[in-house]
Amino acid sequence: MMNSFKGIEFAQPGFFWLLLVLPFMIAWYIWRNQKLQGTLRVSAINGFLRAKRRSWRILRHYSIVLRVLALGALIVALARPQSAFSWQDSTTEGIDIVIATDISGSMLSEDLKPNRLEAGKNIAIDFIKDRPNDRIGLVVFSGESFTQCPLTIDHDVLINLFKGISNGMIEDGTAIGMGLATAVNRLKDSEAKSKVVILLTDGTNTTGSIPPLTAAEIARQMKVRVYTVGVGTKGYAPYPVKTPFGVQYQQVPVTIDEAMLSKIANITGGQYFRATNNQKLKQIYEQIDKLEKAKIDVTQYHKKTERFLPFALLAGILLLLEFLLKNTVFKSALN
């Protein structure tokens, strides 16, 4: 019974005080019914005891039952039950993020599982899913750089494009400065209050026409904050090499220019992180997620639908039923 009133509000709950009338109606009916009963004095009642009491005689009280139920339903209708629905629109103050990821050959090293590139993709995709209100873009770089996905709020498209990146899409090499410059360029027209680049690489700048620190200065001028992430274990990492005898692994040195990545972060007001395994990389994205939180303005909407009509109809049906019974089934009894 109570479940039927879940999510129901009453616009005029004061009408429920009228329910106090119902006990008085019943009491008045009982008193009146007793007054209408005649009295007969007899010397003995043994003859009446043999008379069968008919069970349906209780039906003569149908009138008060229907009237009480009808008045109760009418009072509920007067209280104006309403079903309340609410929802909200959230609009972010604005964070635009570009993820610039290295896809050079060294990113196939398997010190992260299954390798650096795939681990970076999987963890970055989780990061994207956790930020549904931000515009996010994707830049990839190797020997050169290009925009894989411009800033977008359509994260399904972004994630599909992210899954599609692989080593060999562009000439091999490590053009960190070019990758950063391309990412910053994607943010030049952004009106967001916070503009961020997450730069992920596992090496040192070996090619490209723009030095990394020059790109960092451009980012600072454009008020773009850069978080740099060095990916790779300490020392040596297993690197797969295809041979006529199948895939063989070589131990190659991990050479991340941490000093340069730290400078880029310092120049732009960001931070440098080192990810030596999958868990560390995941924690880095979680930390960046906490550092870059947008303020959200929430507008709430409420919609109320009137639900008094079923109760009003019920009251009308009960009164009509009483009228019909009074003038059909119980007419002769009343006469």
Side-chain angles (χ1 to χ4, degrees):
M1 177 68 178
M2 294 304 295
N3 286 338
S4 61
F5 284 94
K6 270 191 174 180
I8 297 291
E9 298 176 359
F10 294 91
Q12 304 291 339
F15 279 101
F16 282 120
W17 287 106
L18 293 175
L19 291 173
L20 295 175
V21 174
L22 300 183
F24 290 101
M25 279 183 63
I26 297 169
W28 177 82
Y29 175 80
I30 294 171
W31 175 82
R32 178 174 169 272
N33 196 53
Q34 288 175 345
K35 283 290 182 182
L36 289 175
Q37 298 295 321
T39 58
L40 177 66
R41 292 185 179 183
V42 294
S43 58
I45 60 171
N46 291 335
F48 294 99
L49 292 175
R50 294 192 201 92
K52 291 183 179 179
R53 296 192 177 190
R54 301 190 179 185
S55 58
W56 51 265
R57 67 191 178 88
I58 198 172
L59 293 178
R60 64 193 175 92
H61 300 298
Y62 76 94
S63 178
I64 186 62
V65 174
L66 293 176
R67 287 178 188 177
V68 167
L69 291 175
L71 182 57
L74 186 60
I75 291 170
V76 174
L78 288 171
R80 286 180 58 200
Q82 301 171 329
S83 59
F85 299 95
S86 64
W87 67 96
Q88 62 186 30
D89 282 346
S90 300
T91 54
T92 60
E93 191 174 83
I95 293 183
D96 284 351
I97 302 171
V98 175
I99 300 173
T101 186
D102 190 344
I103 60 168
S104 60
S106 57
M107 288 289 287
L108 299 178
S109 297
E110 296 183 10
D111 44 352
L112 275 71
K113 302 300 178 185
N115 57 49
R116 295 173 186 171
L117 180 58
E118 291 301 319
K121 286 165 57 176
N122 294 336
I123 295 169
I125 287 170
D126 289 338
F127 172 81
I128 292 166
K129 289 178 179 177
D130 288 338
R131 303 187 69 91
N133 297 310
D134 295 326
R135 293 200 309 166
I136 303 177
L138 174 62
V139 167
V140 295
F141 65 92
S142 186
E144 52 190 67
S145 66
F146 72 91
T147 301
Q148 177 77 349
C149 182
L151 288 168
T152 181
I153 199 71
D154 189 344
H155 291 175
D156 289 335
V157 170
L158 173 63
I159 288 169
N160 284 333
L161 289 170
F162 216 128
K163 289 177 178 177
I165 64 174
S166 60
N167 170 252
M169 294 174 66
I170 47 181
E171 181 184 350
D172 204 15
T174 308
I176 296 173
M178 292 289 291
L180 178 56
T182 302
V184 170
N185 187 55
R186 302 309 311 182
L187 293 164
K188 69 177 181 180
D189 297 322
S190 170
E191 296 181 359
K193 294 191 176 181
S194 184
K195 295 179 282 189
V196 174
V197 170
I198 301 173
L199 177 71
L200 187 143
T201 184
D202 68 344
T204 60
N205 191 72
T206 59
T207 187
S209 57
I210 301 177
L213 297 183
T214 301
E217 288 293 341
I218 296 170
R220 185 176 65 84
Q221 292 294 328
M222 296 178 62
K223 297 181 180 178
V224 175
R225 190 162 43 257
V226 182
Y227 294 100
T228 52
V229 182
V231 184
T233 188
K234 305 283 186 179
Y236 290 82
Y239 180 80
V241 179
K242 291 182 179 179
T243 70
F245 306 101
V247 176
Q248 302 290 328
Y249 285 89
Q250 294 181 355
Q251 294 296 318
V252 297
V254 179
T255 56
I256 300 173
D257 193 342
E258 293 192 281
M260 181 264 293
L261 293 176
S262 296
K263 280 184 181 179
I264 291 173
N266 291 334
I267 289 170
T268 61
Q271 289 186 35
Y272 167 67
F273 303 94
R274 178 70 183 267
T276 54
N277 55 49
N278 292 54
Q279 187 59 33
K280 284 273 190 181
L281 183 57
K282 184 176 177 63
Q283 289 171 358
I284 288 166
Y285 270 107
E286 288 173 352
Q287 191 170 346
I288 294 172
D289 182 57
K290 291 176 183 177
L291 289 169
E292 296 295 338
K293 281 295 183 186
K295 292 180 182 178
I296 299 176
D297 297 324
V298 178
T299 305
Q300 289 195 337
Y301 297 88
H302 298 276
K303 179 184 177 183
K304 294 184 179 180
T305 305
E306 297 287 348
R307 300 296 184 191
F308 68 87
L309 187 57
F311 295 97
L313 288 174
L314 177 61
I317 290 169
L318 291 171
L319 291 175
L320 178 62
L321 179 61
E322 190 221 350
F323 175 80
L324 292 173
L325 290 173
K326 181 178 179 181
N327 290 279
T328 55
V329 177
F330 293 101
K331 185 175 182 180
S332 59
L334 292 171
N335 289 335

